[in-house]
Amino acid sequence: MENGRKASSLRWGILRRALIPSSSSTASDEHSEKGIKSISRKANQGFSLIPFQLVDTTKPEHKEVISLSLPKATEACVCYTLPNHNATELFLYQRVDNRANLDDFKICNTYDIDNTGLVCSWPSEEVLAYHCLSQLDLFRSKRVIELGSGYGLAGLLVAAVTEALEVVISDGNPQVVDYIQRNINANSNVFGLTKVKSMMLHWNHEELSDISNSFDIIIASDCTFFKEFHKGLVQTIKCLLKKEGHSEAIFLGPKRGNSLDEFLMEVKESGLQFTVNEIYNSEVWRRHESFINGDTSWPNYEKDHCYPLLVRITL
């Protein structure tokens, strides 16, 4: 019953934000800053591991990459420059305005999902992408799926630079999956021989028989906050991982109270194995310590809610 109330509160919150006039003080405060900051109030609060900037899609040099015009009031295209030796560029379509609308509410109600994947590219997703960049050999010639990907930064990075055999980028929200496919199309020139596709995948009630026992590696970020999805998420992991040879799920996410601990209890009860690492990348840890020690570029930084732990899950 408690989980049901939380899900209901989430949806009513979405509806409330949808009905607040854009001229309200809350809206004007959130969108008073210009440029890249307007994508989300969280977009400039992260670990700043992968540089990014807005793309002016009217310039001729971006014509071959961005084939669709963007409605300026609702969307933007962001270019992420990967810190690898080729400085690979990834182009991601994102919402500019992170306030929900009535369509968001209807879709969340219909599909029993949240709309967090539309809000912004979350800090844990950036850390996941950066971690994958430091583990290139892990993905080479492997079949990989990203769960709850949002705009798909980590999955796109794996597809672009790791020589994976196949990368599936999935989410349970059909609006998000539309963005994923657009982002795949926008970056198809950097995938080489890697097969890349989007997928609608809901952990709680999706039929997985077609893709069960298929993946060497699962990646995901910040997917354990909503406790009502824990059981479905664990069963999805167990179903998707290959039974032959080594396979694993790589999760990055903050503790967020006891939500991560409860997820790991569900993992243990399912018979899966897991490890949790706090210090898994020296640069991520250095930046975390900087925020803890007074760096004001991320206001209200708290370890429990902001610093992602590395969880590795195996059969």
Side-chain angles (χ1 to χ4, degrees), residues 124-149:
S124 292
E125 175 77 1
E126 182 198 24
V127 175
L128 175 61
Y130 189 78
H131 177 70
C132 291
L133 191 62
S134 69
Q135 305 287 320
L136 297 183
D137 289 342
L138 182 65
F139 299 94
R140 188 168 289 117
S141 301
K142 299 295 196 300
R143 294 192 72 200
V144 183
I145 185 169
E146 181 174 13
L147 303 179
S149 70

Side-chain angles (χ1 to χ4, degrees), residues 212-254:
S212 64
N213 189 30
S214 294
F215 294 97
D216 301 288
I217 301 174
I218 296 171
I219 59 173
S221 64
D222 218 352
C223 284
T224 63
F225 178 67
F226 296 110
K227 297 176 183 178
E228 59 266 33
F229 297 129
H230 284 175
K231 186 176 291 291
L233 178 55
V234 170
Q235 292 307 311
T236 298
I237 295 167
K238 197 170 185 177
C239 178
L240 295 180
L241 286 177
K242 277 186 176 179
K243 308 302 187 290
E244 307 82 19
H246 177 75
S247 63
E248 66 176 310
I250 299 170
F251 276 51
L252 275 161

